[in-house]
Amino acid sequence: MSEQGFVVTPWEVTGVVDYERLIRDFGTQPISDKLGRRLEKVLGSASYLIRRRIFFSHRDLDLILDDYDHGRGFFLYTGRGPSGPMHIGHILSFYFTKWLQDKFQVNVYIQITDDEKFLEEKRNLSYQDTQNWAKENILDIIAAGFDPDRTFILQDTEFLGHAYPLVLKVARRINFSVVRAVFGFTNETNVGMLFYPSIQIIPSFLEKKRCLIPSAIDQDPYWRIQRDVAAPLGYQKAAAIHSKFLPPLTGFQDKMSSSKPETAIFLSDDDNTVRNKVYRYAFSGGQATIEEHRKLGGNPDIDVPFQWLYMFFEPGDSPIERIRADYRSGRMLTGELKDILIERITTFLHEHRARREKAADLVETFKREGALARTIWEMDFRDR
Amino acid sequence: MSEQGFVVTPWEVTGVVDYERLIRDFGTQPISDKLGRRLEKVLGSASYLIRRRIFFSHRDLDLILDDYDHGRGFFLYTGRGPSGPMHIGHILSFYFTKWLQDKFQVNVYIQITDDEKFLEEKRNLSYQDTQNWAKENILDIIAAGFDPDRTFILQDTEFLGHAYPLVLKVARRINFSVVRAVFGFTNETNVGMLFYPSIQIIPSFLEKKRCLIPSAIDQDPYWRIQRDVAAPLGYQKAAAIHSKFLPPLTGFQDKMSSSKPETAIFLSDDDNTVRNKVYRYAFSGGQATIEEHRKLGGNPDIDVPFQWLYMFFEPGDSPIERIRADYRSGRMLTGELKDILIERITTFLHEHRARREKAADLVETFKREGALARTIWEMDFRDR
């Protein structure tokens, strides 16, 4: 991998990601000004994620908005691989998806890919590990505030059997050449992983409407396959909207990793831990001394605390631009910038965890008993 | 394929099968005289299938008999791919398995591989086709007379979800290189087929005892994989006992095929159809005219009516040897030999169909409500 090189696959993100090149390599579309404005109009308070191009790339988002405008509707699908505790980087997509649900009033399907995380050999998780993390992660996902009657959380190991006829129909249309080309699978890849793409694209077929998938861009290879098999199976090609990765606390290299706690703020981190991590590890674009900083100013483009505020924690355009200007000019010191971030993160985590406290009572609703969950469990997949 | 060439895979049997070469190629063991006698002793009336080496090859059959002798017990597993109507060749293994159950008083697992038959592209069966054939085939299987409380019929599309945790554990241990080498899969093979071997070997893990699999030898490649993954998963290597193929009515080339009705007697064929097929299509080792036949005699080795009697329909050693001698000497004419076979087949089919009439009431017992079925459905596969 060259110095400018980077790798983005569903199982690996290394290097410094060049998002423009990803758009070219993956064959997706940048969100144009016109398309961005169409979406911002509906999103209102959540529109900053589009305006700032934190969600920066898409497939067929224009068709989704057409479907919405013409009353045909659409639905949302996103997911989580339960391989460890969730951090700030993981939860961003879920909050965004929840905001999309609020604004568009649509159904959301959330897939918990516990089977994939077990099959992924290098993780070496026991089956029970994946079940424990699924349980924990689902509480965090519910805490994002989804509508219990319009949201179905499907955990693969529980749901696969029910949808198996449809999974088979999908699997019959994907061969080894395809998964090798799309995912870089090899002769040594286990047959569970080879089969797994047929499972990951199932939620996009749970309704005959068009599906919009908000996810980090590393998941896009699955949607490429979905778009190839959808039409012959009588479904619509999934649309997607891709987010950038919130950079690791330690700088723009690679992505936040649960196995390197210093790179991430976990949703369970207490106030002290948050404060210590940001102070100690957050990569700063500031100068070495206060004197130099006052004189030369900081560089917000490489400053992780600034980027986290920009990408998630400061929705207001005037405040964020004020921070940017103050920091660049040297009026705002690194410590002051970090304090702002710490305050935002701890407030966010307090609110998140307060909702998480109540989430346990809602698990059965989202998985089985809510209106949407019931509809899907009552569906006969032999006919689909 | 050379003139002496033949192909035996789970999806194709062509040419004239050389069973001795299969034993070498597949790396199985011939049933030795000593081992044969051990098994015959328990089997009693059903022992002719061993004595005549219709079941001719095995893996670890000696260990199964040791387990039986020492009170450790074992269990049986066999299956059926529901791709069409069942014929005489299909049902032989089931009757043999039922006789093994009767004599050894052991549990039997019968897998209905409707998923595989759907995934097998060249068959081009709709999902509904596989479901309809599964329903029909199960009635024929039940008609063989299995013990409802010691037999569990598991239909993959119904059972897969329940056993999915165990399927995943198996799938993680099988890679593309393995299924390519064992089954000849290619880059164009669909990912469902690549994954499927993890499903076919699941029934061998339903008990911690040793499993004995009676089946035609074309299924052996699956048991090779089973034997590689069993120990690391904490199970025993499956034992197997392999049958020859009942030759097609039309002669020893290829195998009976549902798509060529003249090659097979279906379990649903009425008396007239049986008579017409045997008279018209059964390959004869007799001479062209009665005069020549009286003078030269017939050749029972290539005569399909004789072989069918020998392989299944005439259990008595004295009667079959009398028929052989009479036919070889010319005392018995081709028409007389065919009449014997017709009488045996029609009697067998009448009895089979009488039991099949009552089978519909037993389907739920074998699939869900029988003692063994209930035990398995109540099993928690997350712990296995």
Side-chain angles (χ1 to χ4, degrees):
Chain A
M1 198 173 67
S2 72
E3 207 177 319
Q4 283 79 38
F6 63 96
V7 175
V8 174
T9 77
W11 304 281
E12 185 187 12
V13 176
T14 52
V16 179
V17 179
D18 176 343
Y19 290 103
E20 282 181 29
R21 209 177 106 192
L22 267 191
I23 285 179
R24 285 202 309 278
D25 290 355
F26 280 19
T28 65
Q29 299 294 319
I31 294 179
S32 69
D33 290 349
K34 191 178 155 205
L35 183 59
R37 277 193 302 271
R38 272 183 84 184
L39 186 53
E40 287 168 40
K41 220 181 291 171
V42 189
L43 278 181
S45 59
S47 64
Y48 73 107
L49 293 172
I50 302 299
R51 198 161 52 249
R52 298 179 191 171
R53 295 296 186 272
I54 312 312
F55 284 81
F56 70 108
S57 155
H58 78 101
R59 293 180 187 272
D60 287 351
L61 179 60
D62 45 340
L63 299 183
I64 287 285
L65 295 177
D66 289 349
D67 284 352
Y68 178 71
D69 288 346
H70 292 94
R72 290 186 293 265
F74 67 93
F75 66 102
L76 293 160
Y77 153 40
T78 190
R80 159 79 187 153
S83 57
M86 287 176 79
H87 54 56
I88 296 279
H90 294 132
I91 206 70
L92 191 154
S93 255
F94 289 99
Y95 276 92
F96 180 60
T97 305
K98 175 256 190 303
W99 294 332
L100 288 172
Q101 177 176 56
D102 285 352
K103 304 296 178 177
F104 288 102
Q105 289 291 304
V106 292
N107 290 341
V108 174
Y109 299 88
I110 299 172
Q111 184 178 31
I112 307 298
T113 65
D114 52 352
D115 47 357
E116 184 222 358
K117 290 305 159 200
F118 175 71
L119 290 166
E120 210 183 322
E121 286 166 76
K122 72 162 189 224
R123 290 192 184 268
N124 206 21
L125 292 175
S126 74
Y127 189 80
Q128 193 52 53
D129 290 338
T130 63
Q131 302 310 295
N132 294 344
W133 287 124
K135 205 171 162 187
E136 290 297 318
N137 293 174
I138 284 169
L139 296 177
D140 279 312
I141 290 166
I142 291 174
F146 293 98
D147 178 342
D149 279 316
R150 285 179 184 270
T151 306
F152 175 39
I153 297 180
L154 53 135
Q155 187 169 332
D156 282 346
T157 58
E158 295 168 359
F159 186 68
L160 183 276
H162 186 55
Y164 193 43
L166 184 56
V167 174
L168 290 172
K169 287 170 199 173
V170 174
R172 193 156 82 157
R173 294 183 177 274
I174 305 173
N175 66 27
F176 182 70
S177 289
V178 168
V179 294
R180 186 180 54 182
V182 172
F183 299 108
F185 288 156
T186 70
N187 291 348
E188 280 65 53
T189 304
N190 74 56
V191 297
M193 286 301 276
L194 299 180
F195 181 65
Y196 173 73
S198 342
I199 296 170
Q200 172 139 350
I201 64 186
I202 287 299
S204 72
F205 298 141
L206 290 175
E207 300 190 11
K208 292 280 182 181
K209 295 175 185 170
R210 201 183 308 272
C211 172
L212 174 64
I213 308 175
S215 72
I217 191 158
D218 60 330
Q219 298 298 305
D220 185 73
Y222 289 110
W223 323 140
R224 263 179 270 167
I225 294 184
Q226 194 277 355
R227 292 169 60 87
D228 281 342
V229 304
L233 289 169
Y235 292 91
Q236 299 202 55
K237 290 184 179 189
I241 180 164
H242 304 113
S243 66
K244 295 178 181 171
F245 304 102
L246 203 62
L249 208 51
T250 42
F252 276 80
Q253 188 76 21
D254 307 344
K255 95 176 171 173
M256 270 191 250
S257 165
S258 300
S259 58
K260 296 179 196 150
E262 72 276 15
T263 65
I265 300 290
F266 293 100
L267 299 177
S268 58
D269 282 347
D270 63 22
D271 293 1
N272 260 336
T273 307
V274 171
R275 176 171 301 273
N276 288 338
K277 279 187 179 176
V278 173
Y279 272 136
R280 187 155 169 201
Y281 299 116
F283 185 86
S284 172
Q287 305 299 337
T289 64
I290 293 184
E291 291 66 36
E292 274 186 74
H293 191 85
R294 292 287 188 212
K295 199 170 101 193
L296 301 170
N299 180 357
D301 297 343
I302 60 166
D303 188 282
V304 172
F306 178 80
Q307 290 297 326
W308 281 29
L309 288 168
Y310 183 76
M311 291 181 75
F312 191 59
F313 290 103
E314 179 47 76
D317 288 341
S318 311
I320 196 70
E321 291 312 323
R322 201 158 48 238
I323 293 171
R324 187 200 298 273
D326 286 353
Y327 191 60
R328 204 187 280 286
S329 71
R331 274 195 302 278
M332 183 180 284
L333 296 175
T334 295
E336 292 168 329
L337 180 55
K338 286 186 170 179
D339 282 339
I340 295 172
L341 180 66
I342 289 164
E343 189 272 327
R344 293 302 172 87
I345 294 177
T346 49
T347 302
F348 170 79
L349 290 181
H350 286 180
E351 290 169 4
H352 178 84
R353 287 195 294 253
R355 288 188 298 268
R356 193 183 193 276
E357 287 291 309
K358 298 177 197 138
D361 295 338
L362 290 168
V363 173
E364 278 308 294
T365 307
F366 280 104
K367 280 185 154 188
R368 294 272 177 181
E369 290 157 18
L372 182 61
R374 263 187 289 114
T375 303
I376 302 296
W377 280 108
E378 283 162 14
M379 205 177 265
D380 187 344
F381 280 90
R382 292 172 298 183
D383 304 334
R384 291 186 76 85
Chain B
M1 198 173 66
S2 73
E3 207 177 317
Q4 281 79 38
F6 62 95
V7 175
V8 173
T9 76
W11 305 280
E12 183 186 13
V13 176
T14 52
V16 178
V17 179
D18 175 343
Y19 290 103
E20 282 180 29
R21 209 177 105 192
L22 267 192
I23 284 178
R24 285 202 309 278
D25 290 355
F26 280 21
T28 64
Q29 300 294 317
I31 295 179
S32 70
D33 289 350
K34 192 179 154 203
L35 183 59
R37 278 192 302 272
R38 274 185 83 184
L39 186 52
E40 287 167 38
K41 220 180 294 173
V42 189
L43 278 181
S45 58
S47 65
Y48 72 108
L49 292 172
I50 302 299
R51 201 160 50 250
R52 300 179 189 169
R53 296 295 187 274
I54 311 312
F55 283 82
F56 71 108
S57 154
H58 78 101
R59 292 180 187 274
D60 287 352
L61 178 59
D62 45 340
L63 300 183
I64 287 285
L65 296 177
D66 289 349
D67 284 352
Y68 178 70
D69 289 347
H70 293 94
R72 290 187 292 266
F74 68 93
F75 66 101
L76 293 160
Y77 152 40
T78 190
R80 159 77 189 153
S83 56
M86 287 176 80
H87 54 56
I88 297 280
H90 294 133
I91 206 70
L92 191 154
S93 253
F94 289 99
Y95 276 92
F96 180 61
T97 305
K98 174 257 191 305
W99 294 332
L100 288 172
Q101 178 175 54
D102 285 353
K103 305 294 179 178
F104 288 101
Q105 291 289 305
V106 291
N107 289 339
V108 174
Y109 298 88
I110 299 172
Q111 183 177 32
I112 307 298
T113 64
D114 53 350
D115 47 357
E116 183 222 359
K117 290 305 158 200
F118 175 70
L119 289 167
E120 210 184 320
E121 285 165 78
K122 72 164 189 224
R123 291 192 183 269
N124 206 21
L125 293 175
S126 75
Y127 189 80
Q128 193 52 51
D129 290 338
T130 64
Q131 302 310 295
N132 295 343
W133 287 123
K135 205 171 164 189
E136 289 297 318
N137 293 173
I138 285 170
L139 297 178
D140 279 313
I141 290 166
I142 291 174
F146 294 98
D147 178 341
D149 278 317
R150 284 179 185 271
T151 307
F152 175 40
I153 297 180
L154 52 136
Q155 186 168 334
D156 283 346
T157 58
E158 295 168 1
F159 185 68
L160 184 276
H162 186 55
Y164 192 45
L166 184 55
V167 174
L168 291 171
K169 287 170 200 173
V170 174
R172 192 157 81 158
R173 294 183 177 274
I174 305 173
N175 67 27
F176 182 70
S177 289
V178 167
V179 295
R180 186 180 55 182
V182 173
F183 299 108
F185 289 156
T186 70
N187 292 348
E188 280 65 52
T189 304
N190 74 56
V191 297
M193 287 300 277
L194 300 180
F195 181 65
Y196 173 74
S198 343
I199 297 170
Q200 173 139 349
I201 65 187
I202 287 300
S204 72
F205 298 140
L206 290 176
E207 301 189 11
K208 292 280 182 181
K209 295 175 186 170
R210 202 183 306 273
C211 171
L212 173 64
I213 309 176
S215 72
I217 192 159
D218 60 330
Q219 298 297 305
D220 185 74
Y222 289 110
W223 322 141
R224 262 179 270 166
I225 294 183
Q226 194 278 356
R227 291 168 61 87
D228 281 343
V229 304
L233 290 169
Y235 292 91
Q236 299 202 56
K237 289 184 180 189
I241 180 164
H242 304 113
S243 67
K244 295 177 180 170
F245 303 104
L246 203 62
L249 208 51
T250 42
F252 276 80
Q253 188 76 22
D254 306 343
K255 94 177 171 172
M256 271 191 251
S257 165
S258 300
S259 58
K260 296 178 197 151
E262 72 278 13
T263 65
I265 300 291
F266 293 101
L267 300 176
S268 59
D269 282 347
D270 62 21
D271 293 1
N272 261 337
T273 307
V274 171
R275 177 171 301 275
N276 288 338
K277 280 187 179 175
V278 173
Y279 273 136
R280 185 155 173 202
Y281 298 116
F283 185 86
S284 173
Q287 305 299 336
T289 66
I290 293 183
E291 291 66 34
E292 275 186 73
H293 190 84
R294 292 287 188 210
K295 201 170 99 193
L296 301 170
N299 180 358
D301 297 344
I302 60 165
D303 188 283
V304 171
F306 178 81
Q307 290 298 326
W308 280 30
L309 288 167
Y310 183 77
M311 292 181 73
F312 191 58
F313 290 104
E314 178 47 75
D317 288 341
S318 311
I320 195 71
E321 290 313 323
R322 202 158 47 239
I323 292 171
R324 189 201 298 274
D326 286 354
Y327 191 60
R328 203 186 281 287
S329 72
R331 278 194 300 279
M332 182 180 283
L333 297 175
T334 295
E336 293 167 328
L337 180 56
K338 286 188 170 179
D339 283 339
I340 295 172
L341 180 67
I342 288 164
E343 189 273 326
R344 294 300 173 86
I345 294 178
T346 49
T347 302
F348 170 81
L349 290 182
H350 285 179
E351 290 170 5
H352 179 84
R353 286 195 294 253
R355 288 189 297 268
R356 193 183 194 276
E357 287 291 310
K358 298 176 197 138
D361 294 339
L362 290 168
V363 173
E364 278 308 293
T365 307
F366 281 104
K367 280 185 154 187
R368 295 272 177 181
E369 290 156 17
L372 182 61
R374 260 187 292 114
T375 302
I376 303 298
W377 279 110
E378 282 163 16
M379 206 177 263
D380 187 344
F381 281 89
R382 291 172 300 182
D383 304 334
R384 291 188 74 87

